[in-house]
């Protein structure tokens, strides 16, 4: 009784439904194993974050760098016709480096300017320069 309900909810209209119908349960076992491994790793990470509160600060910092690195390539990639894929990747990498350097070097505490502001400006300028030159 429970198995048909799981089939309807979890497997239907997905890759797993095709695997289930074909009878190749080895692939199904691998995918479900990866799913449960992800849950275990997530649970360990959650406990680790509670035990070590400074980890939350690190996660906030890396998420901020991730977001600021993606802002210019995403916006300009959608609305600017000259945007290129190589320029977007180069912008993301360079922006991540600049934001990390600004934060780690201590310039933020000296100037009082949060590291996201110069990183965002640098991100848009880099994207404009790299994609306008058409070299990248």
């Amino acid at each position: 009784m429970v198995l048909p309900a799981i089939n309807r909810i979890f497997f239907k209209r997905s890759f797993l439904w095709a695997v289930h119908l074909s009878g190749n349960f080895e692939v199904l076992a691998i995918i479900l194993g990866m799913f449960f491994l992800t849950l275990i790793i997530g649970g360990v990470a959650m406990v680790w974050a509670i035990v070590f509160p400074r980890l939350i600060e690190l996660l906030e910092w890396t998420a901020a760098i991730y977001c600021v690195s993606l802002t210019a390539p995403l916006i300009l990639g959608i609305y600017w016709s000259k945007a290129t894929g190589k320029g977007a990747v180069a912008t993301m990498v360079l922006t991540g480096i600049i934001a990390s350097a600004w934060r780690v070097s201590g310039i933020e505490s000296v100037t009082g300017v949060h590291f996201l502001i110069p990183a965002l400006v640098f991100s848009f300028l880099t994207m404009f320069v790299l994609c306008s030159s058409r070299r990248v």
Side-chain angles (χ1 to χ4, degrees):
M1 185 89 177
V2 174
L3 189 59
I6 292 173
N7 282 340
R8 281 194 305 274
I9 295 169
F10 187 67
F11 296 117
K12 203 160 189 176
R13 295 184 188 157
S14 69
F15 169 73
L16 295 177
W17 180 250
V19 170
H20 179 69
L21 289 179
S22 70
N24 189 356
F25 291 104
E26 184 177 317
V27 174
L28 183 63
I30 291 171
I31 292 172
L32 288 176
M34 290 176 6
F35 173 74
F36 287 117
L37 185 64
T38 303
L39 288 178
I40 291 168
I41 291 172
V44 169
M46 186 175 66
V47 169
W48 194 13
I50 293 169
V51 172
F52 302 105
R54 298 284 295 177
L55 181 68
I56 297 296
E57 183 181 333
L58 177 65
L59 291 173
E60 289 173 353
W61 181 53
T62 54
I65 291 175
Y66 178 74
C67 290
V68 77
S69 296
L70 289 178
T71 301
L74 182 65
I75 291 173
L76 294 177
I78 292 172
Y79 296 111
W80 191 37
S81 62
K82 292 184 180 181
T84 63
K86 291 180 182 177
V89 170
T91 299
M92 287 185 264
V93 170
L94 291 173
T95 302
I97 292 170
I98 291 297
S100 299
W102 188 276
R103 173 75 175 194
V104 171
S105 67
I107 297 173
E108 181 178 11
S109 60
V110 173
T111 61
V113 177
H114 197 272
F115 73 97
L116 294 178
I117 296 170
L120 189 62
V121 171
F122 178 81
S123 179
F124 276 97
L125 290 176
T126 304
M127 187 81 173
F128 277 123
V129 169
L130 290 177
C131 293
S132 293
S133 67
R134 288 289 183 180
R135 291 182 187 163
V136 175

